Amino acid sequence: MTNAHDAGARPGRALLLLPVQAVLVAALGLLITGPLAHHWPLSAEDDVNRALADRRASSATSLTDWLSLVADTQTVIGLTLLCVLGLLLVPRAPRWWEAGFLAVSVAAQSAVFLLVTLVVNRDRPDVPHLDGAPPTSSFPSGHVGASAALYGGLAVLAARHLRGVWRNLVVGLLLLVPLAVAFSRLYRGMHHPSDVVAGLLNGACTLLVVGAALLPDARKGEAETEPAAPGTRRAVVVRHPHACDDATAARVRTALRRHGYAEQRWTDTTPEDPSGGLVPHLTGADADPAGPAEPVGPVDLVVVCGGDGTVRACADLVAGTGIPLAIVPCGTGNLLARNLGLPVEPVAALREALSGRAVGLDVGRIRGDGLAPTRFAVMAGAGFDAAMVRDASPRLKERLGWAAYVLSAARHLRDPRMRLSLRLDGGTPLERRARMVVIGNVGSLQGGLPLLPEARPDSGRLEVVLLDPRGVTGWLAAAGYLASRAPGRSRASGTRERTAAHGALEYFGATRVDLRFSRPQPRELDGDVLPAGTRLTAEVEPGALRVCLPAPTRIGAQGRTGGEVAEHGHRDARTAAR
């Protein structure tokens, strides 16, 4: 068992590297100002400063003045305090370790900077200075080091919590700030090139040391200090052996035990049985009929460790039983988990789900020629998207993840349109031409792209979209329209039909959808390829699947938190009961 002393030992040892860092930076400064001063490239530093001073312009001067302002002492201290307070007060649970990481990183960088300036005494560049020179050595740059610690630290935290396009955008912008500050300090004649490089190294090394000291132990502390729930509840865990590695499986076992699931039965999926032989565990029969009789008893929870295909296969069997399902997203797309607001990290998703509550969500039941009736939780489709899924390289999916589907899609952009008949809730058939048709229980694709903005997993209906772009302009119009649909800003659900993107997209909603194609089309179900055929019929089963959702702390599909989806489902159930 880990006690308080053990938990604090590792951070203490790691932070002892900070004095070593100060010694190394000081030694580097003494070399730069001493024996290496007249060797290239240090001998050319003055030329760089003079060249920048000779090419100053009013617009660049104004910009660099602002960049120096965002990295001065008062600004860095103020922003650090605001961010620390935000981490402690805004989330549902205070992020003590992350607040400590940011505060200690900024403070430690400053301490190293001050210690080095006591040892290294370097004059400012011999050019006109645009800022007042503080009474410290030019080596290293304090502005650059402070900006690297603050904005680099925020980038680290953003990378831990954001997903998709927003993660790349926010992290990239934050990491650009220290580089821009470094240029501004050179332009304004306040530092030599080696000073700003040393400032960047000082800030980056501080983040590495403090991050290694605090952030890993934040995760460890959460796992070790979480109290085990009483009882001996029973869980069945279905594991995709390739998607869920042994280390993840071990962490899943620990998380389940700490939530009271002392009795666990694990079963692996196979290509022939993607549900991992789940049926005997649900019915209470012996999972191994050839073996000795073994009482199984009721199942309290089904845990699925895999991607959307594994989740779909298990949901098909669990729906209607009343047994809660917990999702551990280990696949390529994990669309259901993303739409429900679960974290992308598998074990974090399980922890949050088990700390929340189980709520009834809709599933779709589908059948067609050559298909046995089955259920889906995400989307069913035919045409372009099914061909994209079918032809995606398994090797590329393993290496690139969902980006492999993008490469496959490029091969099918010029595929011919299909002729289809669409009937909604038994109404008059609608004749259409399209490149693809998708029936959705949830609406967002990878990166939060809202293919079906009105789809909700608790709406009691299915949403349908026909994609029929004409030429390059049609594809661009459709892509631009989807990219502009910010989550949470779509129209209220209930619209019977509408078109968008100059007719490239057509939307419908119904509880039953009948599709007929003039010739066999490729079909897919939650990312699994189905045999080509000419018919698909989908019906919604409202609230048939109980899914464990986290407390309302994360934004889920279409701007709704997991807790809000859960509360919406409970309200629907109470309304139906009345």
Side-chain angles (χ1 to χ4, degrees):
M1 181 177 294
T2 301
N3 57 30
H5 175 76
D6 295 333
R10 184 177 176 184
R13 289 198 302 268
L15 292 176
L16 289 177
L17 292 174
L18 290 173
V20 178
Q21 176 183 326
V23 170
L24 292 177
V25 176
L28 178 63
L30 293 175
L31 288 173
I32 288 174
T33 58
L36 301 181
H38 301 293
H39 292 77
W40 191 90
L42 298 176
S43 60
E45 287 193 307
D46 290 339
D47 295 334
V48 173
N49 288 111
R50 283 191 290 268
L52 289 173
D54 292 339
R55 290 169 173 78
R56 287 172 180 166
S58 59
S59 58
T61 299
S62 299
L63 176 61
T64 56
D65 182 43
W66 181 83
L67 288 172
S68 288
L69 178 64
V70 302
D72 70 8
T73 302
Q74 292 82 359
T75 302
V76 169
I77 292 175
L79 287 177
T80 302
L81 290 176
L82 286 176
C83 292
V84 168
L85 289 174
L87 289 167
L88 296 179
L89 300 178
V90 174
R92 189 179 182 90
R95 304 184 186 278
W96 294 101
W97 287 98
E98 293 182 348
F101 160 73
L102 191 62
V104 172
S105 295
V106 174
Q109 181 281 143
S110 299
V112 172
F113 162 76
L114 291 174
L115 289 173
V116 172
T117 58
L118 295 177
V119 178
V120 180
N121 185 17
R122 191 181 198 187
D123 294 330
R124 303 280 173 177
D126 187 19
V127 295
H129 302 156
L130 298 183
D131 292 329
T136 55
S137 170
S138 179
F139 182 93
S141 171
H143 280 68
V144 175
S147 65
L150 173 58
Y151 300 104
L154 292 174
V156 171
L157 299 183
R160 288 164 63 91
H161 294 290
L162 298 180
R163 305 195 288 268
V165 176
W166 280 110
R167 176 182 179 179
N168 298 334
L169 179 62
V170 172
V171 171
L173 290 176
L174 287 170
L175 292 180
L176 282 177
V177 174
L179 297 177
V181 171
F183 173 78
S184 75
R185 303 305 287 168
L186 292 176
Y187 177 91
R188 300 179 72 81
M190 304 308 299
H191 292 287
H192 305 277
S194 56
D195 300 335
V196 299
V197 171
L200 288 171
L201 289 174
N202 184 32
C205 290
T206 303
L207 289 176
L208 288 174
V209 171
V210 179
L214 300 183
L215 292 183
D217 276 89
R219 295 191 296 268
K220 178 181 176 182
E222 290 172 1
E224 294 294 338
T225 60
E226 182 183 4
T232 55
R233 290 180 287 180
R234 186 190 310 272
V236 174
V237 184
V238 179
R239 174 196 179 197
H240 190 297
H242 299 297
C244 178
D245 58 30
D246 292 340
T248 301
R251 296 172 63 207
V252 168
R253 291 179 190 272
T254 301
L256 286 171
R257 282 196 298 270
R258 295 189 178 281
H259 281 83
Y261 295 95
E263 187 172 343
Q264 302 173 27
R265 286 197 166 198
W266 285 68
T267 177
D268 285 353
T269 66
T270 64
E272 296 76 22
D273 188 354
S275 69
L278 182 59
V279 172
H281 299 284
L282 300 179
T283 60
D286 191 345
D288 184 7
E294 180 181 349
V296 176
V299 173
D300 299 298
L301 179 70
V302 173
V303 181
V304 184
C305 304
D308 288 314
T310 306
V311 173
R312 188 207 66 76
C314 295
D316 182 33
L317 301 175
V318 175
T321 66
I323 301 172
L325 183 78
I327 301 170
V328 181
C330 299
T332 303
N334 303 313
L335 288 182
L336 182 59
R338 293 173 187 270
N339 277 271
L340 294 179
L342 290 167
V344 294
E345 201 283 317
V347 181
L350 177 62
R351 289 199 192 102
E352 291 206 13
L354 295 179
S355 299
R357 57 179 174 175
V359 60
L361 299 182
D362 306 338
V363 293
R365 187 170 182 84
I366 198 161
R367 63 181 186 273
D369 52 319
L371 302 179
T374 187
R375 295 180 175 93
F376 67 95
V378 182
M379 299 175 186
F384 171 78
D385 70 314
M388 173 190 70
V389 171
R390 179 194 62 195
D391 295 337
S393 166
R395 179 176 299 179
L396 288 179
K397 284 197 293 183
E398 184 177 345
R399 294 182 179 179
L400 303 179
W402 63 267
Y405 292 118
V406 177
L407 300 177
S408 177
R411 300 166 50 191
H412 293 282
L413 291 176
R414 299 179 63 87
D415 285 359
R417 301 158 69 202
M418 58 184 176
R419 185 177 293 177
L420 61 93
S421 172
L422 171 68
R423 186 192 296 266
L424 304 172
D425 292 332
T428 303
L430 306 175
E431 304 298 327
R432 293 290 190 273
R433 285 179 177 268
R435 296 189 183 276
M436 82 172 188
V437 56
V438 173
I439 306 169
N441 186 45
V442 297
S444 292
L445 303 177
Q446 283 84 359
L449 189 69
L451 179 64
L452 291 158
E454 296 177 11
R456 301 289 189 276
D458 55 355
S459 65
R461 59 192 280 122
L462 298 171
E463 302 299 328
V464 184
V465 61
L466 300 180
L467 175 67
D468 189 28
R470 310 290 179 87
V472 175
T473 56
W475 282 105
L476 291 176
Y481 175 82
L482 293 176
S484 67
R485 300 296 93 183
R489 297 182 183 178
S490 61
R491 295 159 54 110
S493 183
T495 302
R496 287 293 301 177
E497 58 183 86
R498 64 186 177 91
T499 59
H502 307 293
L505 295 163
E506 190 171 8
Y507 293 96
F508 307 89
T511 59
R512 176 187 169 112
V513 181
D514 291 284
L515 294 170
R516 299 292 184 271
F517 309 108
S518 60
R519 63 171 184 260
Q521 296 294 333
R523 300 175 293 185
E524 62 91 11
L525 198 65
D526 285 4
D528 286 341
V529 178
L530 302 176
T534 60
R535 299 194 309 275
L536 277 179
T537 296
E539 296 179 85
V540 68
E541 295 184 2
L545 182 66
R546 295 186 66 210
V547 178
C548 296
L549 295 181
T553 57
R554 292 181 178 270
I555 296 299
Q558 310 303 331
R560 184 180 289 179
T561 66
E564 288 169 343
V565 170
E567 180 59 30
H568 187 266
H570 282 294
R571 288 199 302 269
D572 287 348
R574 291 194 294 267
T575 302
R578 289 196 296 267

